Amino acid sequence: MVATSSIKSKRSEQVTDTRLNCGVKDADSWLDPLKTPDNSEEWTCVKLAKLLENCLSQCKKTTLHCSTLLVPEKLTHRVSSEVLLQASCEPCGLRGCVLHVLLEQGETCKRLVRIVCDPSVVPTFELTLVLRQDGTGWPSLGDFLFLKTCFSPKLRHALRLSPSFRLVKKKLYSPSDGAVVEC
């Protein structure tokens, strides 16, 4: 597990309607395979994983109401690899992607982040990433005591994400049904 409390965000983003809009300002530098070091798709995957981690880190207190977000070690890399795979057959590639990130908690889904990969390109497809809260472990004694003595009853000490996720693809230029990928 990797705790996002150690991840620092380098830019401030606007919070709107309990969602963050994590648009990328320098899309040319990391979305264009000709401008990446060694023409590496892996480099783009790492940058996308870091962007996702930064956005999740920003969501901790505003949307998730927790002090620590525990993310499985390879989750963001697996998500970014799957996003790149889904973008590979699109007309504009990753540049035409809008990624909506949701958190499934029981039977409800909470909107977390909207990532526009390249704001200068008209989106050609949307991906909806559904992360799941990991409910397999027992809450720690520290979490229980924290909830009892916390100033705000809405603030949880830690939230743990499951290593599994769902990715739903919707093509904006085609009336065909979207693809659902379970990982």
Side-chain angles (χ1 to χ4, degrees), residues 69-112:
L69 179 62
L70 299 172
V71 179
E73 190 173 352
K74 299 289 183 182
L75 178 66
T76 56
H77 189 270
R78 286 182 28 237
V79 167
S80 61
S81 295
E82 192 60 44
V83 167
L84 288 176
L85 181 66
Q86 295 297 320
S88 65
C89 60
E90 292 298 319
C92 297
L94 189 58
R95 291 176 171 276
C97 179
V98 174
L99 179 63
H100 301 276
V101 182
L102 308 172
L103 176 65
E104 185 178 276
Q105 294 176 308
E107 294 185 19
T108 63
C109 280
K110 181 184 282 190
R111 290 190 178 277
L112 299 181

Side-chain angles (χ1 to χ4, degrees), residues 137-144:
W138 287 86
S140 70
L141 182 60
D143 286 344
F144 180 72

Side-chain angles (χ1 to χ4, degrees), residues 56-68 154-155:
L56 287 173
S57 179
Q58 292 173 11
C59 285
K60 283 187 311 190
K61 292 196 176 169
T62 58
T63 309
L64 296 174
H65 306 292
C66 64
S67 60
T68 305
K154 287 187 173 184
L155 185 67

Side-chain angles (χ1 to χ4, degrees), residues 86-151:
Q86 295 297 320
S88 65
C89 60
E90 292 298 319
C92 297
L94 189 58
R95 291 176 171 276
C97 179
V98 174
L99 179 63
H100 301 276
V101 182
L102 308 172
L103 176 65
E104 185 178 276
Q105 294 176 308
E107 294 185 19
T108 63
C109 280
K110 181 184 282 190
R111 290 190 178 277
L112 299 181
V113 178
R114 179 177 180 260
I115 301 172
V116 178
C117 291
D118 188 351
S120 67
V121 174
V122 175
T124 57
F125 70 106
E126 290 181 342
L127 291 174
T128 302
L129 170 64
V130 181
L131 300 171
R132 296 179 176 110
Q133 183 176 349
D134 189 8
T136 58
W138 287 86
S140 70
L141 182 60
D143 286 344
F144 180 72
L145 293 174
F146 184 78
L147 285 173
K148 291 291 185 189
T149 61
C150 184
F151 296 111

